[in-house]
């Protein structure tokens, strides 16, 4: 569509004009329900689907803001700001930090969802990564989605409506909002406008990240991320001997671990310290010792959650690398077939063509398959090093 | 065998059977010199300080008394204090046996008694195979029998490393056979293996020994080794071989550092790497990676998945060298 960039909270929903129109209409209908001037046109449960980086959670948050804002999502009032910051009293966001969202968490959320909104508009529950709901958790949520309280809205986000991602029972009770991969120009535009990134850099990052807004911003801003991407894309042409395969696998896994550790280092210790202080550590005077008794269990609990988070971070980092790698083989396949399509890794044009010359189309396709198989294996909980080594061996050059 | 100089015996070490024997030996020694002696065996944690004081005081009738304090690592502070006080000022008619299972708890008591000149009976855990082997032989000898090396090894395979079980088995075998225990006798009464790890499966599978690996796998599964552990061991075996095979000819120490492998493992992987072709290794790595997913839930029968993987590994091992 050629309309100008949408304003207010919708500005962050990049490259999805149809979706924005749908959500706008729904929030207008919701506003009519609130002031009593009309009914209908609003749905109580929504499912945002789309590939990683298409902005599922961003769209859900924007919609939540539009529901809470008296002006339909102006982006300037207190409601819009607090939703954006994640501090709005009537918007509950579930972000899984580990690999799963458990039933305990979901039950607690369902209880909260049953309350009337405290500010008088809507009670909004956002479940990011609904594909990570366990079976039990999904069933707990289903109960609430089936018969929602009058002023409660559920916004679920998942990669697709495939039963592997979202149980059929939940899916059938939701209105589906499909998001598409935003085109590079839209992503670049957002990077320039919102993050103040230099246009050339933004265009490059948008191209290299295949429409994933968050990743594009990360690539544009973080030198380390650019170095990692380069290391990953150097792999296909470096696999000459079996030893190279082992080395490449080791590097992929250990750099993912490092990435996860950097993240942990930044967050774990401050969190633990804050919890210790909250439990009365370092206090003096009467009763200080008694107050901190029994705090070890809570700290252990926190450590357990932090470990889960680190596992997930490592797996996510590895998955990102594999997506880049898959893109490289896809590019080579496109180049070999002479198709006139834009390359994902257009900055690695010469390398892509070199690889395309050295392998047959079948060989390229087999290697692309190997990368995708490794992604699947990681999802099935195969030991990262084992899965990645099996992959690099299959990627080896003839 | 009463202690000539000190009447305090410190039994110290992790091996429970040996500790029990040391206490019995001390009691038997006291009985030899005084058949009517009074024997008390008490757990340290259940001991009240007054009680211990009573026990360690001279008897009115002058008879010998053996006081055995077991689990001395759990003794309270005052008990430890009393024992150490007594050690400085001991009575000849009392044999005090203090049993401590090793470790850091109440180490001061151990050191104190040792410094006070207590007779120390060490009871360390037997960790090496040859130690267990000599334990079996001495055990059979103490029952008045003989056992040859092959029979002892077979017995260890079949019974495992638990000393108590080994001791009982040795006694039984000697009394069943009348003294001469040989391989045929052991195999007549004992079959199978008590301790099979995933690694014993992997060690056979990576040298292409299909029958041996399958047998080891059955044993491993029947003694309860989890499927995932066996699968991990197989993956580890294959990747060590792959790493060593692809690493070229560096010295052992250098390579061990580069690959982050202990030297003994490297040496073993080197031996195992003979006979593998690169093509075979490629296949093997795919096999173990698939297996890893299979034992984690993608197939209905993980036992079959393991068997199949071992067969495929044997095929991959037989793969001739050549272009991939």
């Amino acid at each position: 569509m050629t309309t100008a960039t949408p304003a207010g909270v919708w500005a962050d929903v990049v490259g999805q004009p149809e979706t924005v129109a749908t959500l706008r209409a729904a929030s207008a209908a919701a506003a009519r329900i609130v002031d009593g001037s009309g009914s209908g046109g609003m749905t109580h449960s929504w499912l945002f689907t789309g590939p990683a980086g298409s902005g599922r959670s961003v769209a859900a948050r924007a919609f939540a803001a539009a529901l809470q804002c008296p002006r339909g999502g102006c982006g300037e009032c207190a409601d819009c700001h607090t939703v954006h910051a994640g501090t709005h009293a009537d918007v509950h966001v579930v972000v899984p930090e580990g690999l799963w969202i458990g039933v305990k968490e979901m039950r607690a959320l369902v209880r909260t969802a049953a309350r009337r909104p405290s500010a008088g508009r809507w009670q909004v529950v956002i479940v990011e990564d609904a594909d990570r709901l366990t079976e039990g958790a999904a069933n707990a949520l289903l109960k609430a989605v089936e018969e929602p309280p009058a002023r409660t809205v559920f916004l679920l986000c998942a990669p697709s409506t495939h039963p592997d991602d979202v149980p059929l029972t939940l899916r059938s009770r939701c209105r589906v909002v499909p998001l598409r991969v935003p085109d590079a120009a839209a992503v670049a535009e957002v990077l320039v406008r919102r993050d103040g990134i230099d246009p050339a850099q933004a265009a490059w990052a948008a191209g290299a990240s295949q429409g994933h807004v968050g990743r594009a911003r990360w690539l544009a801003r973080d030198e380390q991320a650019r170095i990692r991407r380069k290391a990953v894309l150097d792999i296909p042409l470096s696999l000459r001997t079996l030893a190279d395969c082992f080395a490449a696998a080791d590097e992929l896994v250990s750099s993912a671990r490092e990435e996860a550790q950097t993240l942990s280092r930044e967050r774990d210790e401050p969190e633990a310290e804050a919890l210790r202080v909250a439990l009365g550590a370092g206090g003096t005077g009467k009763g200080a010792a008694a107050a901190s008794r029994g705090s070890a269990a809570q700290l252990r609990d926190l450590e357990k959650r932090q470990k889960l988070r680190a596992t997930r971070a490592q797996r996510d980092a590895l998955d990102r690398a594999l997506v880049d790698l898959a893109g490289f083989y896809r590019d080579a396949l496109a180049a070999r077939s002479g198709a006139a399509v834009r390359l994902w890794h257009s900055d690695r044009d010469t390398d892509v063509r070199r690889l395309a010359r050295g392998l047959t189309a079948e060989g390229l396709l087999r290697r692309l398959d190997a990368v995708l198989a490794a992604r699947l294996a990681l999802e099935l909980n195969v030991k990262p090093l084992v899965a990645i080594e099996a992959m690099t061996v299959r990627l080896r050059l003839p | 065998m009463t202690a000539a100089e000190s009447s305090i015996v410190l039994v110290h070490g992790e091996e429970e059977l040996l500790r029990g024997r040391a206490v019995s030996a001390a009691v038997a020694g006291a009985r030899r010199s005084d058949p009517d002696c009074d024997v008390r065996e008490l757990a340290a944690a259940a001991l009240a300080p007054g009680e211990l004081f009573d026990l360690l005081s001279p008897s009115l009738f002058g008879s010998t008394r053996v006081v055995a304090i077991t689990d001395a690592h759990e003794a309270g502070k005052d008990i430890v204090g009393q024992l150490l006080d007594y050690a400085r000022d001991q009575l000849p008619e009392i044999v005090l046996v203090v049993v401590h299972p090793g470790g850091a708890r109440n180490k001061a008591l151990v050191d104190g008694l040792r410094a006070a000149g207590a007779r120390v009976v060490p009871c360390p855990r037997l960790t090496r195979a040859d130690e267990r082997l000599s334990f079996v032989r001495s055990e059979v000898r103490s029952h008045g029998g003989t056992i040859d090396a092959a029979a002892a090894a077979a017995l260890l395979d079949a019974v495992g490393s638990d000393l108590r079980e080994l001791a009982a088995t040795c006694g039984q075998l000697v009394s069943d056979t009348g003294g001469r225990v040989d391989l045929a006798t052991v195999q007549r009464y004992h079959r199978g293996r008590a301790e099979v790890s995933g690694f014993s499966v992997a060690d056979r599978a990576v040298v292409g020994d299909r029958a041996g690996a399958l047998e080891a796998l059955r044993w491993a599964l029947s003694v309860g080794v989890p499927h995932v552990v066996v699968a991990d061991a197989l993956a580890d075996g294959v990747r060590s071989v792959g790493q060593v095979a692809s690493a070229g000819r560096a010295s052992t120490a250098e390579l061990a550092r580069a690959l982050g492998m202990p030297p003994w493992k490297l040496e073993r992987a080197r031996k195992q790497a003979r006979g593998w072709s690169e093509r075979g290794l490629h296949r093997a790595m795919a096999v173990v990676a698939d297996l890893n997913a299979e034992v984690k839930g993608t197939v209905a029968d993980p036992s079959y998945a393991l068997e199949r993987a071992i067969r495929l590994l044997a095929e991959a091992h037989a793969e001739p060298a050549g272009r991939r």
Side-chain angles (χ1 to χ4, degrees), chain B residues 151-222:
Chain B
L155 191 63
L156 274 176
D157 267 354
V159 179
S161 56
D162 187 67
L163 285 198
R164 202 171 277 281
E165 272 186 58
L166 277 175
T169 314
C170 289
Q172 187 71 49
L173 277 175
V174 171
S175 77
D176 283 352
T177 57
R180 276 189 56 85
V181 182
D182 54 17
L183 189 59
T185 329
V186 172
Q187 278 171 350
R188 183 163 155 217
Y189 292 103
H190 296 276
R191 232 163 241 193
R193 349 186 108 253
E195 282 160 8
V196 189
S197 66
F199 292 107
S200 29
V201 181
D203 284 343
R204 289 176 177 82
V206 294
V207 294
D209 175 7
R210 177 167 52 181
L214 283 175
E215 187 193 337
L217 173 68
R218 285 291 174 87
W219 284 119
L221 293 180
S222 71

Side-chain angles (χ1 to χ4, degrees), chain B residues 146-314:
Chain B
T146 54
I147 185 167
D148 57 50
L155 191 63
L156 274 176
D157 267 354
V159 179
S161 56
D162 187 67
L163 285 198
R164 202 171 277 281
E165 272 186 58
L166 277 175
T169 314
C170 289
Q172 187 71 49
L173 277 175
V174 171
S175 77
D176 283 352
T177 57
R180 276 189 56 85
V181 182
D182 54 17
L183 189 59
T185 329
V186 172
Q187 278 171 350
R188 183 163 155 217
Y189 292 103
H190 296 276
R191 232 163 241 193
R193 349 186 108 253
E195 282 160 8
V196 189
S197 66
F199 292 107
S200 29
V201 181
D203 284 343
R204 289 176 177 82
V206 294
V207 294
D209 175 7
R210 177 167 52 181
L214 283 175
E215 187 193 337
L217 173 68
R218 285 291 174 87
W219 284 119
L221 293 180
S222 71
V223 299
V225 180
H227 296 102
V228 174
V229 171
V230 181
D232 278 353
L234 282 174
D236 187 65
V238 170
R239 61 184 297 268
S240 323
V241 168
Q243 280 183 314
V244 171
S246 66
R249 306 188 185 288
S251 76
T252 306
E254 223 171 279
L255 208 53
R257 206 170 334 105
L259 298 179
M261 247 188 234
W264 60 265
K265 195 173 163 188
L266 186 81
E267 276 305 320
R268 206 180 53 186
R270 262 197 179 147
K271 278 195 206 105
Q272 292 168 338
R274 282 175 212 140
W276 277 99
S277 67
E278 280 213 341
R279 211 161 104 180
L281 272 174
H282 283 200
R283 268 181 70 179
M285 294 197 48
V287 168
V288 292
D290 289 344
L291 176 67
N292 209 299
E294 283 167 359
V295 294
K296 286 173 179 168
T298 59
V299 296
D301 185 354
S303 306
Y304 171 72
L306 282 169
E307 277 182 21
R308 197 175 72 105
I310 286 172
R311 277 209 320 275
L312 291 176
L313 285 181

Side-chain angles (χ1 to χ4, degrees), chain A residues 240-246 250 367 377 380-383 385-387 389-390 393-394 396-398, chain B residues 232 235 238-239 242-243 245-247 278 281-283 285-286 288-290 292-293 296 298 323-324:
Chain A
R240 297 184 185 291
T241 65
L242 190 55
D244 292 338
C245 297
F246 281 110
D250 185 52
R367 285 169 177 77
L380 291 170
N381 238 343
V382 173
K383 271 192 174 175
L385 202 53
V386 172
E389 276 173 0
V393 164
R394 287 170 68 190
R396 188 176 160 185
L397 296 169
Chain B
D232 278 353
V238 170
R239 61 184 297 268
Q243 280 183 314
S246 66
E278 280 213 341
L281 272 174
H282 283 200
R283 268 181 70 179
M285 294 197 48
V288 292
D290 289 344
N292 209 299
K296 286 173 179 168
T298 59
R323 293 289 298 161
R324 289 179 300 120

Side-chain angles (χ1 to χ4, degrees), chain A residues 11 14-15 22 43 83 96 102 125 137 183 212 235 274 303 324 334 350 392:
Chain A
V14 182
T22 312
T43 315
V83 172
V125 172
D183 60 24
H212 190 305
I235 287 176
E303 264 168 38
D324 274 349
T350 31
T392 50

Side-chain angles (χ1 to χ4, degrees), chain A residues 102-324:
Chain A
V103 64
K104 222 161 113 191
E105 203 176 339
M106 223 8 76
R107 288 209 179 110
L109 185 79
V110 166
R111 266 199 298 283
T112 335
R115 294 188 201 138
R116 284 184 63 77
S118 58
R121 289 184 75 85
W122 296 91
Q123 185 77 259
V124 183
V125 172
I126 302 178
V127 183
E128 282 185 21
D129 298 340
D131 52 315
R132 292 184 193 260
L133 287 168
T134 61
E135 199 181 334
N139 285 336
L141 179 63
L142 178 65
K143 298 261 161 63
V145 171
E146 265 181 331
E147 289 178 36
R151 286 289 182 81
T152 301
V153 182
F154 291 93
L155 308 178
L156 315 181
C157 308
S160 74
T161 57
H162 191 276
D164 279 356
D165 284 338
V166 186
L168 276 176
T169 42
L170 263 181
R171 189 234 158 282
S172 67
R173 285 160 179 83
C174 293
R175 182 160 159 194
V176 178
V177 183
L179 300 172
R180 59 180 183 197
V181 177
D183 60 24
V187 175
E189 191 265 329
V190 161
L191 291 186
V192 173
R193 177 169 50 79
R194 191 176 56 190
D195 301 303
I197 289 162
D198 160 63
Q201 179 89 314
W204 168 80
S209 56
Q210 296 119 46
H212 190 305
V213 183
R215 181 146 168 67
R217 184 183 321 145
W218 192 42
L219 268 182
R221 289 210 294 209
D222 188 354
E223 173 73 23
Q224 210 59 37
R226 286 195 288 273
I227 293 174
R228 286 220 173 95
R229 173 173 174 273
K230 180 179 176 315
V232 169
L233 296 183
D234 282 343
I235 287 176
L237 284 170
S238 75
L239 301 172
R240 297 184 185 291
T241 65
L242 190 55
D244 292 338
C245 297
F246 281 110
D250 185 52
E251 181 177 327
L252 270 173
V253 174
S254 57
S255 92
R257 193 182 309 130
E258 225 169 79
E259 206 178 310
Q261 272 169 357
T262 320
L263 188 82
S264 305
R265 262 201 302 279
E266 282 165 11
R267 292 175 62 180
D268 288 1
E269 197 34 48
E271 268 177 8
E273 188 55 39
L275 182 62
R276 273 196 288 270
V277 170
L279 291 169
T284 51
K286 238 183 189 170
S292 64
R293 208 168 292 146
S295 60
Q298 292 197 48
L299 280 169
R300 258 201 312 280
D301 200 43
L302 177 72
E303 264 168 38
K304 218 165 89 190
R305 270 180 290 139
Q306 287 174 337
K307 216 178 140 210
L308 280 178
R309 188 171 68 196
T311 309
R312 161 141 192 220
Q314 187 186 342
R315 205 155 320 158
D316 286 354
L318 208 47
D319 196 61
R320 278 195 293 275
L322 292 187
V323 169
D324 274 349

